[in-house]
Amino acid sequence: MTGFLKYFKQPKKRPEHEQLSIGFTNGYHLSYDCRRKLGRIRLIDDMKAFISKKNLGPDALDERFDAEAFLERLNTTRSAIKSALMNQNVIAGIGNIYSDEMLFQAGIYPKMKTDRVNDRSFQTLFNVMKDVLTKAIACGAKPDELPGTYIIPRRAKDGECPKCGTKLSKITISGRSCYYCRRCQPER
């Protein structure tokens, strides 16, 4: 939900809100910077036991997590598709802004119930999920470095759809802000 890791050598590069720092023999440091102090770091002995204890769903980018498993996981809930995507017990690794992006790229209305999404749209959403997360990682999750067709850099009061120019709408789903395009993601 918040925070990031920073790898640096010079002390002046130390993050402002450092919560943890690990020094290496090569003179470099790895710091966890978390201004809002909502993130957590834990040392665990058994990753599989931790995942099981936390009841985490499969990682969204796990190569073994295929379209069939995606459909099966999302069919376990009848919530709004945006809520299902962000539910870490259903699929781990998708946050608020990236669920907006995935639904935008797939042309799916964020409040649509999962049981109303057809198989073709689920397949499109699955492909988009992999693509969006891969691109976000490649650009270091920097909004300004995402493709020009993405809404993430435009998530603001007066943001416009990069495809059609319509002013983006903002609603709340499961207590989270959601930006979408009424024209490209119509209610069905």
Side-chain angles (χ1 to χ4, degrees):
M1 183 169 176
T2 185
F4 62 91
L5 294 173
K6 183 171 184 180
Y7 185 67
F8 61 96
K9 186 168 188 173
Q10 299 172 352
K12 67 182 179 181
K13 301 272 185 173
R14 186 171 301 283
E16 182 179 354
H17 304 286
E18 182 181 79
Q19 302 300 316
L20 173 75
S21 181
I22 300 169
F24 298 99
T25 57
N26 66 358
Y28 281 82
H29 303 273
L30 179 66
S31 289
Y32 176 60
D33 187 26
C34 186
R35 183 179 66 133
R36 295 168 62 196
K37 298 182 182 179
L38 295 174
R40 301 283 182 262
I41 294 177
R42 292 189 177 116
L43 184 60
I44 58 172
D45 293 323
D46 184 343
M47 185 175 68
K48 288 183 182 181
F50 176 80
I51 290 169
S52 178
K53 179 180 177 183
K54 295 293 184 180
N55 193 31
L56 295 176
D59 186 297
L61 288 178
D62 188 324
E63 60 189 36
R64 296 167 296 186
F65 185 54
D66 61 13
E68 185 178 322
F70 178 75
L71 176 62
E72 184 179 306
R73 298 294 300 183
L74 289 176
N75 275 334
T76 64
T77 178
R78 296 201 188 288
S79 63
I81 188 70
K82 177 175 172 74
S83 298
L85 286 171
M86 292 190 307
N87 184 336
Q88 302 302 299
N89 302 124
V90 176
I91 302 168
I94 301 173
N96 189 37
I97 65 173
Y98 293 103
S99 65
D100 282 358
E101 191 64 57
M102 292 168 199
L103 293 168
F104 173 71
Q105 295 297 329
I108 298 172
Y109 178 63
K111 282 191 173 182
M112 182 180 282
K113 301 291 184 191
T114 56
D115 61 345
R116 293 195 52 226
V117 179
N118 64 41
D119 289 349
R120 185 169 154 235
S121 293
F122 268 126
Q123 181 65 52
T124 299
L125 184 57
F126 173 77
N127 293 336
V128 164
M129 173 190 70
K130 298 282 189 175
D131 187 54
V132 165
L133 293 176
T134 300
K135 283 184 175 137
I137 291 167
C139 75
K142 295 175 186 152
D144 294 339
E145 292 184 24
L146 291 169
T149 57
Y150 276 36
I151 65 166
I152 288 175
R154 295 164 178 78
R155 292 178 91 247
K157 182 179 178 184
D158 296 319
E160 294 180 355
C161 174
K163 292 180 182 176
C164 71
T166 299
K167 183 179 175 186
L168 294 176
S169 296
K170 179 183 176 186
I171 56 177
T172 301
I173 301 175
S174 298
R176 305 301 303 272
S177 295
C178 174
Y179 288 85
Y180 74 102
C181 176
R182 291 183 314 275
R183 180 178 282 166
C184 295
Q185 298 168 266
E187 291 184 51
R188 292 187 183 127

PDB file of all heavy atoms in Angstrom, residues 81-104:
ATOM      1  N   ILE A  81     -16.023  -6.090  -9.610  1.00  0.00           N
ATOM      2  CA  ILE A  81     -14.786  -6.614 -10.190  1.00  0.00           C
ATOM      3  C   ILE A  81     -13.560  -5.881  -9.630  1.00  0.00           C
ATOM      4  O   ILE A  81     -12.535  -6.503  -9.364  1.00  0.00           O
ATOM      5  CB  ILE A  81     -14.824  -6.573 -11.744  1.00  0.00           C
ATOM      6  CG1 ILE A  81     -13.620  -7.287 -12.354  1.00  0.00           C
ATOM      7  CG2 ILE A  81     -14.963  -5.160 -12.278  1.00  0.00           C
ATOM      8  CD1 ILE A  81     -13.618  -8.773 -12.206  1.00  0.00           C
ATOM      9  N   LYS A  82     -13.661  -4.566  -9.405  1.00  0.00           N
ATOM     10  CA  LYS A  82     -12.528  -3.830  -8.828  1.00  0.00           C
ATOM     11  C   LYS A  82     -12.192  -4.364  -7.441  1.00  0.00           C
ATOM     12  O   LYS A  82     -11.024  -4.586  -7.123  1.00  0.00           O
ATOM     13  CB  LYS A  82     -12.816  -2.331  -8.758  1.00  0.00           C
ATOM     14  CG  LYS A  82     -11.677  -1.552  -8.096  1.00  0.00           C
ATOM     15  CD  LYS A  82     -11.900  -0.072  -8.120  1.00  0.00           C
ATOM     16  CE  LYS A  82     -10.878   0.678  -7.310  1.00  0.00           C
ATOM     17  NZ  LYS A  82      -9.555   0.763  -7.902  1.00  0.00           N
ATOM     18  N   SER A  83     -13.201  -4.585  -6.611  1.00  0.00           N
ATOM     19  CA  SER A  83     -12.978  -5.121  -5.259  1.00  0.00           C
ATOM     20  C   SER A  83     -12.328  -6.499  -5.319  1.00  0.00           C
ATOM     21  O   SER A  83     -11.422  -6.794  -4.536  1.00  0.00           O
ATOM     22  CB  SER A  83     -14.302  -5.215  -4.493  1.00  0.00           C
ATOM     23  OG  SER A  83     -14.866  -3.948  -4.335  1.00  0.00           O
ATOM     24  N   ALA A  84     -12.797  -7.333  -6.232  1.00  0.00           N
ATOM     25  CA  ALA A  84     -12.243  -8.688  -6.368  1.00  0.00           C
ATOM     26  C   ALA A  84     -10.773  -8.633  -6.770  1.00  0.00           C
ATOM     27  O   ALA A  84      -9.949  -9.390  -6.241  1.00  0.00           O
ATOM     28  CB  ALA A  84     -13.047  -9.499  -7.378  1.00  0.00           C
ATOM     29  N   LEU A  85     -10.428  -7.743  -7.690  1.00  0.00           N
ATOM     30  CA  LEU A  85      -9.031  -7.626  -8.131  1.00  0.00           C
ATOM     31  C   LEU A  85      -8.114  -7.189  -6.986  1.00  0.00           C
ATOM     32  O   LEU A  85      -6.966  -7.620  -6.901  1.00  0.00           O
ATOM     33  CB  LEU A  85      -8.902  -6.631  -9.278  1.00  0.00           C
ATOM     34  CG  LEU A  85      -9.402  -7.078 -10.635  1.00  0.00           C
ATOM     35  CD1 LEU A  85      -9.401  -5.918 -11.624  1.00  0.00           C
ATOM     36  CD2 LEU A  85      -8.591  -8.249 -11.176  1.00  0.00           C
ATOM     37  N   MET A  86      -8.611  -6.328  -6.099  1.00  0.00           N
ATOM     38  CA  MET A  86      -7.782  -5.822  -4.999  1.00  0.00           C
ATOM     39  C   MET A  86      -7.785  -6.731  -3.778  1.00  0.00           C
ATOM     40  O   MET A  86      -7.001  -6.520  -2.856  1.00  0.00           O
ATOM     41  CB  MET A  86      -8.258  -4.424  -4.575  1.00  0.00           C
ATOM     42  CG  MET A  86      -8.017  -3.370  -5.621  1.00  0.00           C
ATOM     43  SD  MET A  86      -8.303  -1.699  -4.986  1.00  0.00           S
ATOM     44  CE  MET A  86      -9.934  -1.823  -4.304  1.00  0.00           C
ATOM     45  N   ASN A  87      -8.636  -7.722  -3.757  1.00  0.00           N
ATOM     46  CA  ASN A  87      -8.719  -8.642  -2.620  1.00  0.00           C
ATOM     47  C   ASN A  87      -7.505  -9.570  -2.644  1.00  0.00           C
ATOM     48  O   ASN A  87      -7.413 -10.464  -3.477  1.00  0.00           O
ATOM     49  CB  ASN A  87     -10.026  -9.432  -2.678  1.00  0.00           C
ATOM     50  CG  ASN A  87     -10.224 -10.324  -1.486  1.00  0.00           C
ATOM     51  OD1 ASN A  87      -9.271 -10.737  -0.811  1.00  0.00           O
ATOM     52  ND2 ASN A  87     -11.469 -10.665  -1.222  1.00  0.00           N
ATOM     53  N   GLN A  88      -6.574  -9.368  -1.720  1.00  0.00           N
ATOM     54  CA  GLN A  88      -5.326 -10.134  -1.691  1.00  0.00           C
ATOM     55  C   GLN A  88      -5.549 -11.623  -1.398  1.00  0.00           C
ATOM     56  O   GLN A  88      -4.679 -12.435  -1.674  1.00  0.00           O
ATOM     57  CB  GLN A  88      -4.351  -9.525  -0.680  1.00  0.00           C
ATOM     58  CG  GLN A  88      -4.006  -8.078  -0.964  1.00  0.00           C
ATOM     59  CD  GLN A  88      -3.400  -7.850  -2.340  1.00  0.00           C
ATOM     60  OE1 GLN A  88      -2.341  -8.384  -2.650  1.00  0.00           O
ATOM     61  NE2 GLN A  88      -4.072  -7.077  -3.182  1.00  0.00           N
ATOM     62  N   ASN A  89      -6.729 -11.968  -0.869  1.00  0.00           N
ATOM     63  CA  ASN A  89      -7.055 -13.374  -0.655  1.00  0.00           C
ATOM     64  C   ASN A  89      -7.470 -14.050  -1.956  1.00  0.00           C
ATOM     65  O   ASN A  89      -7.386 -15.267  -2.084  1.00  0.00           O
ATOM     66  CB  ASN A  89      -8.179 -13.536   0.379  1.00  0.00           C
ATOM     67  CG  ASN A  89      -7.813 -12.918   1.710  1.00  0.00           C
ATOM     68  OD1 ASN A  89      -8.530 -12.064   2.207  1.00  0.00           O
ATOM     69  ND2 ASN A  89      -6.702 -13.310   2.285  1.00  0.00           N
ATOM     70  N   VAL A  90      -7.916 -13.255  -2.909  1.00  0.00           N
ATOM     71  CA  VAL A  90      -8.315 -13.782  -4.221  1.00  0.00           C
ATOM     72  C   VAL A  90      -7.091 -13.835  -5.133  1.00  0.00           C
ATOM     73  O   VAL A  90      -6.754 -14.879  -5.680  1.00  0.00           O
ATOM     74  CB  VAL A  90      -9.451 -12.932  -4.841  1.00  0.00           C
ATOM     75  CG1 VAL A  90      -9.795 -13.416  -6.241  1.00  0.00           C
ATOM     76  CG2 VAL A  90     -10.686 -12.962  -3.944  1.00  0.00           C
ATOM     77  N   ILE A  91      -6.421 -12.696  -5.308  1.00  0.00           N
ATOM     78  CA  ILE A  91      -5.199 -12.585  -6.116  1.00  0.00           C
ATOM     79  C   ILE A  91      -4.274 -11.623  -5.381  1.00  0.00           C
ATOM     80  O   ILE A  91      -4.679 -10.512  -5.044  1.00  0.00           O
ATOM     81  CB  ILE A  91      -5.472 -12.023  -7.526  1.00  0.00           C
ATOM     82  CG1 ILE A  91      -6.482 -12.883  -8.279  1.00  0.00           C
ATOM     83  CG2 ILE A  91      -4.181 -11.902  -8.326  1.00  0.00           C
ATOM     84  CD1 ILE A  91      -6.998 -12.233  -9.547  1.00  0.00           C
ATOM     85  N   ALA A  92      -3.056 -12.019  -5.144  1.00  0.00           N
ATOM     86  CA  ALA A  92      -2.096 -11.165  -4.439  1.00  0.00           C
ATOM     87  C   ALA A  92      -1.324 -10.297  -5.428  1.00  0.00           C
ATOM     88  O   ALA A  92      -0.920 -10.764  -6.491  1.00  0.00           O
ATOM     89  CB  ALA A  92      -1.127 -12.017  -3.626  1.00  0.00           C
ATOM     90  N   GLY A  93      -1.149  -9.038  -5.060  1.00  0.00           N
ATOM     91  CA  GLY A  93      -0.261  -8.177  -5.839  1.00  0.00           C
ATOM     92  C   GLY A  93      -0.916  -7.081  -6.636  1.00  0.00           C
ATOM     93  O   GLY A  93      -0.241  -6.352  -7.351  1.00  0.00           O
ATOM     94  N   ILE A  94      -2.242  -6.910  -6.531  1.00  0.00           N
ATOM     95  CA  ILE A  94      -2.915  -5.854  -7.286  1.00  0.00           C
ATOM     96  C   ILE A  94      -3.445  -4.814  -6.301  1.00  0.00           C
ATOM     97  O   ILE A  94      -4.212  -5.131  -5.404  1.00  0.00           O
ATOM     98  CB  ILE A  94      -4.078  -6.408  -8.137  1.00  0.00           C
ATOM     99  CG1 ILE A  94      -3.554  -7.461  -9.127  1.00  0.00           C
ATOM    100  CG2 ILE A  94      -4.781  -5.271  -8.887  1.00  0.00           C
ATOM    101  CD1 ILE A  94      -4.645  -8.178  -9.895  1.00  0.00           C
ATOM    102  N   GLY A  95      -3.025  -3.572  -6.500  1.00  0.00           N
ATOM    103  CA  GLY A  95      -3.472  -2.482  -5.642  1.00  0.00           C
ATOM    104  C   GLY A  95      -4.499  -1.604  -6.332  1.00  0.00           C
ATOM    105  O   GLY A  95      -4.969  -1.905  -7.436  1.00  0.00           O
ATOM    106  N   ASN A  96      -4.812  -0.515  -5.692  1.00  0.00           N
ATOM    107  CA  ASN A  96      -5.888   0.365  -6.138  1.00  0.00           C
ATOM    108  C   ASN A  96      -5.661   0.949  -7.532  1.00  0.00           C
ATOM    109  O   ASN A  96      -6.498   0.792  -8.414  1.00  0.00           O
ATOM    110  CB  ASN A  96      -6.075   1.491  -5.113  1.00  0.00           C
ATOM    111  CG  ASN A  96      -7.298   2.319  -5.392  1.00  0.00           C
ATOM    112  OD1 ASN A  96      -8.324   1.813  -5.814  1.00  0.00           O
ATOM    113  ND2 ASN A  96      -7.192   3.614  -5.155  1.00  0.00           N
ATOM    114  N   ILE A  97      -4.545   1.644  -7.722  1.00  0.00           N
ATOM    115  CA  ILE A  97      -4.366   2.323  -9.019  1.00  0.00           C
ATOM    116  C   ILE A  97      -4.197   1.326 -10.167  1.00  0.00           C
ATOM    117  O   ILE A  97      -4.640   1.588 -11.277  1.00  0.00           O
ATOM    118  CB  ILE A  97      -3.223   3.363  -8.994  1.00  0.00           C
ATOM    119  CG1 ILE A  97      -1.870   2.721  -8.783  1.00  0.00           C
ATOM    120  CG2 ILE A  97      -3.489   4.442  -7.964  1.00  0.00           C
ATOM    121  CD1 ILE A  97      -0.704   3.703  -8.928  1.00  0.00           C
ATOM    122  N   TYR A  98      -3.579   0.192  -9.886  1.00  0.00           N
ATOM    123  CA  TYR A  98      -3.380  -0.782 -10.962  1.00  0.00           C
ATOM    124  C   TYR A  98      -4.671  -1.516 -11.304  1.00  0.00           C
ATOM    125  O   TYR A  98      -4.880  -1.892 -12.461  1.00  0.00           O
ATOM    126  CB  TYR A  98      -2.222  -1.727 -10.633  1.00  0.00           C
ATOM    127  CG  TYR A  98      -0.925  -0.945 -10.638  1.00  0.00           C
ATOM    128  CD1 TYR A  98      -0.310  -0.578  -9.456  1.00  0.00           C
ATOM    129  CD2 TYR A  98      -0.383  -0.495 -11.834  1.00  0.00           C
ATOM    130  CE1 TYR A  98       0.836   0.209  -9.469  1.00  0.00           C
ATOM    131  CE2 TYR A  98       0.764   0.293 -11.858  1.00  0.00           C
ATOM    132  CZ  TYR A  98       1.362   0.640 -10.666  1.00  0.00           C
ATOM    133  OH  TYR A  98       2.485   1.421 -10.691  1.00  0.00           O
ATOM    134  N   SER A  99      -5.569  -1.688 -10.336  1.00  0.00           N
ATOM    135  CA  SER A  99      -6.871  -2.272 -10.675  1.00  0.00           C
ATOM    136  C   SER A  99      -7.639  -1.304 -11.582  1.00  0.00           C
ATOM    137  O   SER A  99      -8.288  -1.740 -12.539  1.00  0.00           O
ATOM    138  CB  SER A  99      -7.677  -2.615  -9.415  1.00  0.00           C
ATOM    139  OG  SER A  99      -8.011  -1.465  -8.683  1.00  0.00           O
ATOM    140  N   ASP A 100      -7.541   0.002 -11.309  1.00  0.00           N
ATOM    141  CA  ASP A 100      -8.165   0.990 -12.197  1.00  0.00           C
ATOM    142  C   ASP A 100      -7.616   0.859 -13.617  1.00  0.00           C
ATOM    143  O   ASP A 100      -8.368   0.860 -14.586  1.00  0.00           O
ATOM    144  CB  ASP A 100      -7.904   2.415 -11.701  1.00  0.00           C
ATOM    145  CG  ASP A 100      -8.772   2.840 -10.539  1.00  0.00           C
ATOM    146  OD1 ASP A 100      -9.641   2.057 -10.099  1.00  0.00           O
ATOM    147  OD2 ASP A 100      -8.578   3.978 -10.052  1.00  0.00           O
ATOM    148  N   GLU A 101      -6.303   0.761 -13.707  1.00  0.00           N
ATOM    149  CA  GLU A 101      -5.665   0.683 -15.027  1.00  0.00           C
ATOM    150  C   GLU A 101      -6.084  -0.573 -15.782  1.00  0.00           C
ATOM    151  O   GLU A 101      -6.386  -0.534 -16.973  1.00  0.00           O
ATOM    152  CB  GLU A 101      -4.141   0.728 -14.890  1.00  0.00           C
ATOM    153  CG  GLU A 101      -3.425   0.906 -16.207  1.00  0.00           C
ATOM    154  CD  GLU A 101      -3.757   2.245 -16.864  1.00  0.00           C
ATOM    155  OE1 GLU A 101      -3.537   3.291 -16.229  1.00  0.00           O
ATOM    156  OE2 GLU A 101      -4.239   2.236 -18.022  1.00  0.00           O
ATOM    157  N   MET A 102      -6.093  -1.695 -15.093  1.00  0.00           N
ATOM    158  CA  MET A 102      -6.472  -2.962 -15.728  1.00  0.00           C
ATOM    159  C   MET A 102      -7.905  -2.902 -16.265  1.00  0.00           C
ATOM    160  O   MET A 102      -8.171  -3.317 -17.395  1.00  0.00           O
ATOM    161  CB  MET A 102      -6.340  -4.108 -14.732  1.00  0.00           C
ATOM    162  CG  MET A 102      -4.922  -4.413 -14.352  1.00  0.00           C
ATOM    163  SD  MET A 102      -4.910  -5.531 -12.932  1.00  0.00           S
ATOM    164  CE  MET A 102      -3.255  -5.276 -12.357  1.00  0.00           C
ATOM    165  N   LEU A 103      -8.798  -2.397 -15.434  1.00  0.00           N
ATOM    166  CA  LEU A 103     -10.202  -2.319 -15.854  1.00  0.00           C
ATOM    167  C   LEU A 103     -10.368  -1.335 -17.004  1.00  0.00           C
ATOM    168  O   LEU A 103     -11.150  -1.573 -17.932  1.00  0.00           O
ATOM    169  CB  LEU A 103     -11.086  -1.946 -14.664  1.00  0.00           C
ATOM    170  CG  LEU A 103     -11.153  -3.031 -13.595  1.00  0.00           C
ATOM    171  CD1 LEU A 103     -11.794  -2.499 -12.321  1.00  0.00           C
ATOM    172  CD2 LEU A 103     -11.891  -4.260 -14.103  1.00  0.00           C
ATOM    173  N   PHE A 104      -9.615  -0.235 -16.979  1.00  0.00           N
ATOM    174  CA  PHE A 104      -9.665   0.727 -18.081  1.00  0.00           C
ATOM    175  C   PHE A 104      -9.173   0.082 -19.364  1.00  0.00           C
ATOM    176  O   PHE A 104      -9.833   0.153 -20.402  1.00  0.00           O
ATOM    177  CB  PHE A 104      -8.829   1.970 -17.749  1.00  0.00           C
ATOM    178  CG  PHE A 104      -8.704   2.915 -18.903  1.00  0.00           C
ATOM    179  CD1 PHE A 104      -9.792   3.665 -19.319  1.00  0.00           C
ATOM    180  CD2 PHE A 104      -7.511   3.037 -19.587  1.00  0.00           C
ATOM    181  CE1 PHE A 104      -9.692   4.534 -20.398  1.00  0.00           C
ATOM    182  CE2 PHE A 104      -7.394   3.901 -20.666  1.00  0.00           C
ATOM    183  CZ  PHE A 104      -8.490   4.646 -21.071  1.00  0.00           C
TER     184      PHE A 104
END
